[in-house]
Amino acid sequence: MRLLHRCGWTSSLKQYRRTFAVSIIAGVALVAGAAWLTLSIFSKIEVASANRLQTINLIFRAHALVANVIDAELGQDSYLLTGLERFKQRSMGIAEAIHGEFTQLHTLADSRPSLPLLDTMAPLLDEKLAQMKAIMALPRLGNRGASIVAESQGEQTMTAIRAAAAGFVAAETRQLELQMLDSDVHMGDLAKIILVVCALALLVPIS
């Protein structure tokens, strides 16, 4: 009788150890799998965040570029009204910086779907800056007619620049919206993983 009791106790102990070992293995596998999935999701979230920052940077730079063209044009008009050399120098200084700003913007937008829209701005900017230079080179007296014609052409070019920039910004804004949706999906996946891990963590000890 004692022998049977001892054999039963030994069998129960072995079963307990086996169940405990399976629980440990399952727990380790669960933690390892959850960790791998979590790291994968975090990596995707990090990439998505970097993409959003790049898109926001492109939108900001495009707005700044147009603002600087407007500022240079304002300096030109101030010079034509007053004849003060400081307005001319300020306008020319901004105009020289515009080429560098556009080059940086173009480099950052390389291989993006919006790049063709940005390419349309290049000849327009060259034309606008050439027009400004020509206008300020005219004598302030005796050439008012030529100055008016040049200013009218400059306004048309400025309108085209605004339209090209608006198209580029609109394309990047749509891209930003898609990136934000992508980030929301990754965050949702992360939340699902956490819920599944919590549920399995409660079930493993019971089994």
Side-chain angles (χ1 to χ4, degrees), residues 101-121:
E101 292 174 2
F102 179 79
T103 299
Q104 291 178 357
L105 178 60
H106 193 278
T107 300
L108 292 172
D110 187 32
S111 74
R112 295 176 71 91
S114 59
L115 186 61
L117 295 171
L118 189 61
D119 286 336
T120 62
M121 288 184 63

Side-chain angles (χ1 to χ4, degrees), residues 51-139:
N51 290 336
R52 287 200 311 274
L53 289 176
Q54 182 182 14
T55 303
I56 292 171
N57 184 35
L58 289 172
I59 294 173
F60 174 80
R61 285 176 176 269
H63 282 302
L65 179 65
V66 174
N68 284 339
V69 176
I70 295 174
D71 201 14
E73 188 176 48
L74 179 61
Q76 164 203 285
D77 294 340
S78 298
Y79 170 70
L80 293 176
L81 287 173
T82 64
L84 295 177
E85 192 68 18
R86 68 171 182 269
F87 290 120
K88 179 179 180 179
Q89 295 300 324
R90 181 174 182 274
S91 179
M92 293 179 64
I94 297 173
E96 291 176 1
I98 287 173
H99 279 296
E101 292 174 2
F102 179 79
T103 299
Q104 291 178 357
L105 178 60
H106 193 278
T107 300
L108 292 172
D110 187 32
S111 74
R112 295 176 71 91
S114 59
L115 186 61
L117 295 171
L118 189 61
D119 286 336
T120 62
M121 288 184 63
L124 294 173
L125 287 173
D126 290 338
E127 181 180 356
K128 177 62 179 176
L129 296 177
Q131 290 169 347
M132 292 174 58
K133 185 177 181 180
I135 290 174
M136 288 189 289
L138 291 173

